[in-house]
Amino acid sequence: TNNEEVLTQIIPSYGLTVAEHARTVSQGMKYMKYNFTPMILKRAIEVALHIEDEAVETANTPPALPPNLPPVMETILSATPENMKPAVAMACFSALRILLEGVKFKYIDNKDSEPCFMSLTIAPQASGKTALREPINAILHEIAEQDRINREEDLKWHEEYCAKGSAQNKPARPNAPILMVQADMTNAALTNLCRRAAGKSLFTYAEELEKLLKLQNLSDICRTAFDTEIYGQERYTGEAVSMQVTMRWSWAGATTP
């Protein structure tokens, strides 16, 4: 607008008095108006628009896989849709971690470290995220079968334990490892499962990130797992148990934005 009165009402005063503000607007109105954009500004705008277009395109395109993959990864991805291969490859590392018992390496800080993988695929609904689950199930088929047997022993123990009266001798709880653990669990359950794993790594697949968020202080647990450090809880009641374990836990998940 070229209306000085309207501009005076619109433009902030930035601490000027009313008179100073009105005088500044009036002086600005006297300057000659140029319908001209400097070449350097035009070029900056073009570059900014080009970068924005590239960013949008990159955000919707999965990263390219290396041209030569290890034979095991080629086999894992053999039946995966092309557009899902990068996400599946990343998720499978978390599942393969269970098979790396006793593996250590020197980290950048010269500390002996153990592998830990955490992968989260974020994609819209009905975009094919279920493609992540089948290769993981194939990788961990034998472990899942052993977990099933151990879970049945746990269930049998629980039924016997509940059937016994308070004065009767309670059966000892099974201690066999269960390595494929559900995302919906408590911190105490995670700690106990790590103890039962006896040096092996746990693995969790989360259909939605919200399930993992039920764990208290998830970010601290992830940091502890990545560094393979001590984790636990201190309790001081007759029913609760204080426990510390070395956190070995990898996870993969898929969630909507």
Side-chain angles (χ1 to χ4, degrees):
T1 179
N2 293 323
N3 190 311
E4 185 174 327
E5 183 178 350
V6 173
L7 287 174
T8 302
Q9 296 175 356
I10 295 175
I11 298 174
S13 64
Y14 296 108
L16 297 175
T17 65
V18 174
E20 290 173 333
H21 183 221
R23 186 167 57 252
T24 301
V25 173
S26 179
Q27 290 174 349
M29 292 288 293
K30 295 176 182 178
Y31 281 97
M32 186 178 296
K33 301 177 180 64
Y34 294 95
N35 187 19
F36 170 75
T37 303
M39 184 58 67
I40 190 170
L41 179 57
K42 282 185 176 180
R43 180 57 184 155
I45 293 173
E46 291 172 359
V47 170
L49 291 174
H50 179 66
I51 291 175
E52 183 179 355
D53 290 341
E54 283 189 343
V56 171
E57 182 179 353
T58 302
N60 295 325
T61 305
L65 287 171
N68 299 314
L69 295 174
V72 63
M73 191 57 69
E74 290 278 8
T75 302
I76 291 171
L77 301 178
S78 59
T80 302
E82 197 66 32
N83 66 319
M84 290 298 297
K85 285 185 176 181
V88 171
M90 290 297 296
C92 285
F93 278 108
S94 301
L96 290 167
R97 167 63 181 98
I98 287 186
L99 309 178
L100 300 178
E101 183 180 356
V103 173
K104 294 186 177 182
F105 60 93
K106 288 287 186 183
Y107 196 53
I108 191 171
D109 58 0
N110 207 35
K111 171 189 172 184
D112 285 334
S113 299
E114 298 183 28
C116 176
F117 301 99
M118 304 175 196
S119 169
L120 180 64
T121 299
I122 304 174
Q125 289 182 341
S127 57
K129 296 189 295 296
T130 53
L132 276 67
R133 193 63 190 260
E134 289 306 315
I136 290 175
N137 289 342
I139 293 170
L140 302 179
H141 172 73
E142 292 184 6
I143 291 174
E145 179 59 23
Q146 186 59 53
D147 279 356
R148 183 188 63 78
I149 296 172
N150 294 343
R151 287 183 185 277
E152 288 179 354
E153 289 297 318
D154 271 16
L155 180 60
K156 181 180 178 182
W157 164 83
H158 185 264
E159 291 173 347
E160 292 180 358
Y161 184 92
C162 293
K164 296 277 188 179
S166 58
Q168 295 177 297
N169 291 329
K170 301 284 189 177
R173 183 166 191 165
N175 206 36
I178 294 174
L179 303 181
M180 294 177 65
V181 300
Q182 298 298 312
D184 187 356
M185 60 180 160
T186 64
N187 295 60
L190 176 61
T191 305
N192 187 50
L193 288 164
C194 282
R195 179 191 63 80
R196 290 177 59 170
K200 298 179 180 179
S201 175
L202 305 180
F203 171 75
T204 296
Y205 182 82
E207 294 287 355
E208 287 291 340
L209 184 60
E210 285 77 7
K211 293 183 179 180
L212 276 181
L213 293 176
K214 293 181 180 180
L215 283 168
Q216 297 180 12
N217 301 318
L218 176 60
S219 60
D220 183 57
I221 295 173
C222 290
R223 179 197 60 79
T224 306
F226 185 82
D227 294 333
T228 323
E229 291 184 348
I230 299 298
Y231 175 79
Q233 299 91 32
E234 299 290 354
R235 299 292 183 265
Y236 195 68
T237 66
E239 295 78 15
V241 178
S242 297
M243 189 181 301
Q244 287 187 334
V245 296
T246 300
M247 179 58 66
R248 295 181 177 90
W249 178 51
S250 290
W251 61 268
T255 192
T256 49

